[in-house]
Amino acid sequence: MKRIVTMQDISCVGKCSASVAMPIISAMGCECAILPTAVLSTHTAFENFNIVDLTDNIPTVCEMWKREGIAFDMVYTGYLASVRQIDLAIDLWQEFGGDGKYLFVDPVMGDFGRLYTGFEESYPAHMKRLCRRADIIVPNLTEAFCLLGEKYRESVSVEEALEMAKRLTQNGPKAAVITGISPTEEELGIVKFERETEESFCYFAPRVETPFPLHGSGDVFAAVTVGGLCSGKNINDALAAAVDFVAEAVRETVKNNDHRWYGIDFETVLNK
Ligand code: PXL
């Protein structure tokens, strides 16, 4: 069984980060270890939240893993609360990466053209240092613009998105995927560019109209992609499965009158 380690926060309530990575990756038949970066009462889209920072504990946890001879097939990083945590993610990869290992970076920084609460303007430049080492990065459009150091635009064509993905791989990750791309009003999905093969790939699912913003859907997307890669799918199949899964979870979320505003109902479709 493949074993991955995901380095991100635990949001106690909020259906994001480690709380979606663990059930999804486990359901896909892979062992999901976690390196928690912080414990938050909720994610940061809530009005009232507190954070207990676990930065100082991270090197010790890694040291204990080393002494135990623990190894991972994949390192998957998500929300990192500070520049210091980005540096520790790079250390984690230096310690536990190597031949045949895979670095999956979800450069969680913002959405709708804005950085999430708590991130400074200089944060994306540091995230770039981590992305440079990755086998694959999966930014949304906001994060892709941040990594390229360009001004945000709300919509881009598929061709423009592919060109951005290509530029993201220059001197950087082997593959760049940009999420939240729409070729038409009715579709939503991803584009991917791979540096070595120069291969482009796009995959879209029917767009679901939602009367509210959907927090955490990027985390669900990333977790399903990681689970797919770990269970032997090739990149394109893993991405397509993740797009389909998120689309289905969103369809279920809007169907459920009782849904919670802060995350999508991935639980309803987890058995698939
Ligand atoms: O879903 C991304 C995410 C993860 N973790 C925390 C967040 C967010 C987005 O706001 O606040 C703590």
Side-chain angles (χ1 to χ4, degrees):
M1 183 184 287
K2 298 267 187 189
R3 180 198 280 142
I4 76 125
V5 59
T6 185
M7 177 176 176
Q8 49 184 329
D9 67 283
I10 297 173
S11 288
C12 301
V13 172
K15 300 206 206 193
C16 70
S17 14
S19 322
V20 309
M22 285 200 286
I24 290 173
I25 293 166
S26 301
M28 295 177 80
C30 303
E31 180 180 343
C32 182
I34 56 169
L35 182 53
T37 53
V39 178
L40 291 86
S41 52
T42 61
H43 62 55
T44 60
F46 285 76
E47 219 169 300
N48 305 285
F49 62 89
N50 90 307
I51 303 184
V52 174
D53 186 282
L54 298 176
T55 305
D56 292 343
N57 195 44
I58 292 170
T60 316
V61 171
C62 293
E63 173 58 27
M64 297 302 142
W65 285 345
K66 275 276 156 197
R67 284 193 210 170
E68 290 292 337
I70 292 169
F72 303 102
D73 300 292
M74 187 191 289
V75 171
Y76 156 33
T77 68
Y79 180 97
L80 301 170
S82 61
V83 171
R84 169 98 180 103
Q85 289 190 356
I86 294 174
D87 286 326
L88 288 169
I90 293 170
D91 291 349
L92 175 70
W93 177 242
Q94 267 158 3
E95 283 294 316
F96 292 91
D99 271 358
K101 306 296 172 80
Y102 200 89
L103 177 59
F104 185 107
V105 175
D106 185 0
V108 178
M109 293 188 283
D111 212 348
F112 308 108
R114 297 177 50 188
L115 291 177
Y116 291 131
T117 305
F119 289 144
E120 291 175 15
E121 289 302 314
S122 60
Y123 184 86
H126 294 280
M127 183 56 87
K128 234 167 128 168
R129 292 190 287 115
L130 175 60
C131 288
R132 202 178 297 148
R133 297 163 160 83
D135 289 281
I136 188 167
I137 61 171
V138 293
N140 61 28
L141 192 56
T142 300
E143 292 154 352
F145 276 121
C146 283
L147 291 170
L148 291 169
E150 292 173 15
K151 197 164 169 286
Y152 175 72
R153 278 181 292 136
E154 201 177 320
S155 80
V156 295
S157 67
V158 170
E159 290 68 32
E160 288 170 321
L162 275 170
E163 192 271 326
M164 288 172 72
K166 182 174 184 177
R167 278 190 289 127
L168 284 169
T169 63
Q170 277 163 6
N171 309 312
K174 293 197 181 81
V177 173
I178 304 181
T179 63
I181 302 300
S182 288
T184 64
E185 293 267 299
E186 289 81 38
E187 293 171 294
L188 187 61
I190 58 100
V191 304
K192 180 211 75 176
F193 184 83
E194 277 190 63
R195 179 159 39 80
E196 277 159 22
T197 57
E198 299 218 320
E199 187 210 24
S200 298
F201 174 73
C202 305
Y203 189 84
F204 307 102
R207 177 198 284 277
V208 184
E209 276 311 317
T210 60
F212 40 84
L214 291 170
H215 298 280
S217 47
D219 296 0
V220 173
F221 171 82
V224 180
T225 308
V226 166
L229 290 169
C230 281
S231 52
K233 280 187 176 16
N234 67 41
I235 295 187
N236 295 354
D237 289 349
L239 291 169
V243 169
D244 286 338
F245 184 86
V246 172
E248 195 162 357
V250 170
R251 271 196 296 279
E252 290 299 324
T253 307
V254 294
K255 250 199 269 170
N256 178 6
N257 292 328
D258 198 26
H259 75 265
R260 315 256 149 82
W261 67 268
Y262 51 74
I264 63 172
D265 289 352
F266 71 92
E267 300 90 339
T268 319
V269 289
L270 192 54
N271 62 340
K272 299 186 177 174

